[in-house]
Amino acid sequence: MPMSPLVAGAATALLATLVSGCSTPPAAAAEEKKPEPVAVKAVAAEAATLRRTTTQPATVHAYYTADIYAKVSGYVREVPVDIGDHVKQGDVLAVIDVPEIKKQLLVADARVARSEAQVKRAESGKRLAEANLASARAGVVGAESRIASADALLQAGQAEFTRTQSLVEQRSVQQRLLDEARQRLDSGKADVESAKALVTMAQSQVAVAEASVAAAQSEIEAAKADTQVAEAQRGELQVMLEFAELQAPFDGVVTHRGVAPGDLVRAVTEARGVGSPHFIVTQLDKVRVRTMVPEAEASLVDVGDAVSIALSSARLPAVEGKVTRTSGSLDPSTRTLTVEVELPNPDGKLLPGMYGEATIVLFEKPDAVSLPASAIRFRTTGESYVYALDNASEVSIQDVTLGYDSGTTIEIASPLAAGQKVIDAHLKRFRDGDVVRVLEN
């Protein structure tokens, strides 16, 4: 049965449509959209002074504090100062009556005078002994001259005897003349022996006189030693009398008074113990601020390090200073290093006992390149790296060497340059060549 013209036209149109659909390119039908770049936040490496600090509790202490005690016992006669008074070194804080020491001092003066008189008497005895010695020596000289004279007479008698003996043998003179010459010779010999005895006696007198001089010198030395002892005892009493005045050891402020006029005070002794001080004097024109640095940072503290001290008192601003000294060793019980900062205190606003915090600059490194800690990545092997970005926001993985970590920023020791942008914290892991979209801050 032949098709109707209407059906034939519809079939023709359908066939043309099918043929037309089969001729469309497959690539155009399956075209896919490219993925959007991942959005990231970027941070730039900054070059700035890197500063490591430690902040620890700190307390203000007086530069010096002296507890004043009595060295002598007695009743307090006068107290010219009170708490809060400013005193100079040597100012009298209290006067103690010590009448017994004054009496002992009078006795000591008398002993010194007696000893000095004994010295003078011994010196007079020495002068007398020296005069006797001179006389004895003169006697020796006289005796020796008599020996010379006796020797001369003896020689003359010997010559006369020899001549007379020769004449007698020649029968020129009588025997009687020889006997007389012999008697004169014997007399001369006796005179010589007598003169020698006189010399010996005079020498003995010299020895006795020398011994007397030595004894007199010993008496002088003994008397002088007694005088020195008496003077030392008197000096000790004078010192004890000076202790009757309690004096300020340095310029400062009286921060404690423990006695009043009429009080009986006892001398401090090892047996009795110290007890409560009569006065406390505190030097406040400069103060010490002490803080304790933990063991982990103790080795980084040096004398001269800058310190900022913030006290709890709201009306006092932060005070700047430098580390003056350290203890040089750790406290075995706390494992901390004691650090002291000396501060001037001309107006007396810094009071001992004030509490606050001391921030010590342990080191400063100028022009150090750093990044936020969140921008640093770590491999499982421990190496650190960053995702560096170029001007086209293309990623490149760059290994870095880290330096000081402040907790929020980390120093990049190498090789990152200041101004280099890197990807901040992100969960995605990027690869070299990835392109990202940097979000505006």
Side-chain angles (χ1 to χ4, degrees), residues 376-385 400 402:
I376 311 297
R377 271 75 175 176
F378 295 92
R379 298 187 178 90
T380 56
T381 54
E383 294 90 350
S384 53
Y385 64 95
V400 291
L402 305 182

Side-chain angles (χ1 to χ4, degrees), residues 294-319:
E295 179 179 4
E297 297 173 315
S299 61
L300 300 177
V301 179
D302 294 312
V303 173
D305 285 348
V307 184
S308 178
I309 300 167
L311 299 173
S312 300
S313 177
R315 64 187 182 90
L316 292 178
V319 183

Side-chain angles (χ1 to χ4, degrees), residues 83-356:
I83 60 171
D85 288 349
H86 290 261
V87 293
K88 296 290 185 181
Q89 182 179 4
D91 284 355
V92 176
L93 308 178
V95 179
I96 303 171
D97 266 334
V98 285
E100 65 278 13
I101 295 180
K102 293 179 180 178
K103 293 296 184 181
Q104 292 172 7
L105 187 57
L106 292 176
V107 174
D109 288 338
R111 287 175 179 170
V112 170
R114 184 181 63 183
S115 297
E116 290 175 346
Q118 289 175 346
V119 170
K120 291 180 180 178
R121 185 178 64 182
E123 288 175 345
S124 298
K126 181 182 178 182
R127 286 194 293 270
L128 178 60
E130 288 174 343
N132 291 335
L133 176 61
S135 176
R137 286 174 175 168
V140 169
V141 173
E144 290 175 345
S145 65
R146 289 187 64 180
I147 289 177
S149 177
D151 279 339
L153 293 174
L154 178 61
Q155 291 175 4
Q158 181 67 47
E160 182 183 2
F161 176 80
T162 302
R163 181 175 60 82
T164 303
Q165 186 178 30
S166 177
L167 291 174
V168 169
E169 290 175 354
Q170 295 173 7
R171 298 183 182 273
S172 297
V173 297
Q174 298 178 356
Q175 180 66 35
R176 178 178 58 83
L177 295 176
L178 179 62
D179 293 338
E180 291 175 354
R182 180 180 288 110
Q183 289 178 353
R184 286 192 293 272
L185 177 61
D186 292 340
S187 176
K189 290 181 179 178
D191 288 342
V192 169
E193 293 300 325
S194 176
K196 289 182 177 179
L198 289 174
V199 169
T200 301
M201 184 174 64
Q203 289 174 341
S204 299
Q205 291 175 347
V206 168
V208 171
E210 288 177 344
S212 297
V213 170
Q217 181 62 38
S218 298
E219 289 181 1
I220 291 174
E221 292 175 355
K224 287 183 177 179
D226 289 341
T227 302
Q228 290 177 349
V229 171
E231 289 176 342
Q233 291 173 344
R234 180 178 63 179
E236 181 181 3
L237 290 171
Q238 288 173 337
V239 171
M240 295 302 290
L241 189 60
E242 292 174 358
F243 281 132
E245 289 188 350
L246 304 184
Q247 298 180 354
F250 45 74
D251 296 356
V253 178
V254 178
T255 56
H256 170 78
R257 176 181 62 81
V259 295
D263 286 350
L264 174 63
V265 296
R266 302 281 186 183
V268 175
T269 62
E270 294 181 2
R272 184 178 294 116
V274 175
S276 176
H278 305 318
F279 294 91
I280 297 178
V281 178
T282 303
Q283 183 178 350
L284 294 178
D285 57 342
K286 56 182 177 179
V287 295
R288 307 171 190 258
V289 177
R290 291 193 186 124
T291 185
M292 306 296 179
V293 177
E295 179 179 4
E297 297 173 315
S299 61
L300 300 177
V301 179
D302 294 312
V303 173
D305 285 348
V307 184
S308 178
I309 300 167
L311 299 173
S312 300
S313 177
R315 64 187 182 90
L316 292 178
V319 183
E320 305 299 323
K322 294 183 180 296
V323 173
T324 305
R325 64 185 61 84
T326 70
S327 60
S329 63
L330 301 183
D331 185 323
S333 60
T334 62
R335 313 305 302 176
T336 56
L337 176 74
T338 301
V339 176
E340 276 193 357
V341 180
E342 289 184 9
L343 296 176
N345 189 31
D347 54 3
K349 298 298 184 183
L350 300 177
L351 302 178
M354 281 185 169
Y355 186 79

